[in-house]
Amino acid sequence: MPQAAFLGRCNCGGTHFTVDGAQLLCSAHLVREGRTALTQPLFATFYSTALNVLGPVGSYTKADQKTHHFCPSCGSLLFTTGPCSNDTVEVALSALDQSDAEAGVLLSGVR
């Protein structure tokens, strides 16, 4: 069972966020870009209302219409939104400050 909240931050610490673990929709999944076999960061999907961000966030929208949100100081990817649903947010697991036990909860769907 997911914990009450996960804490996260960018690499430089300029942007912090919390995400309500009770609103977890989908445990970690791999995202593939284009025609390559290279995998991109692992994400966990939450309801948008679960995310609370403190600090500056930059963003850009790619051709796939996903909006990628990052720290404007260090460039760390924090989360993505759209295009399928405005009700969800995909949080980058690399931005979470979780322990090994908590990571197991979010990585339970990865094979």
Side-chain angles (χ1 to χ4, degrees), residues 37-56:
L38 299 175
T39 58
Q40 298 301 307
L42 288 170
F43 292 90
T45 305
F46 295 86
Y47 286 110
S48 296
T49 55
L51 183 67
N52 182 28
V53 180
L54 299 168

Side-chain angles (χ1 to χ4, degrees), residues 7-20:
L7 304 176
R9 65 178 178 84
C10 64
N11 288 335
C12 73
T15 302
H16 294 263
F17 65 89
T18 60
V19 64
D20 181 358

Side-chain angles (χ1 to χ4, degrees), residues 4-5 11 16-17 21 23 26-28 35 41 44 51 53-54 56 58 75 78 87 92 99 103 109-110:
N11 288 335
H16 294 263
F17 65 89
Q23 294 192 49
C26 177
S27 59
R35 291 179 263 156
L51 183 67
V53 180
L54 299 168
L78 303 172
D87 297 336
S99 70
V110 175

Side-chain angles (χ1 to χ4, degrees), residues 36-77:
T36 68
L38 299 175
T39 58
Q40 298 301 307
L42 288 170
F43 292 90
T45 305
F46 295 86
Y47 286 110
S48 296
T49 55
L51 183 67
N52 182 28
V53 180
L54 299 168
V57 176
S59 65
Y60 66 93
T61 302
K62 291 181 67 169
D64 64 3
Q65 298 179 345
K66 281 190 177 184
T67 301
H68 300 265
H69 304 270
F70 60 92
C71 171
S73 296
C74 66
S76 298
L77 176 62

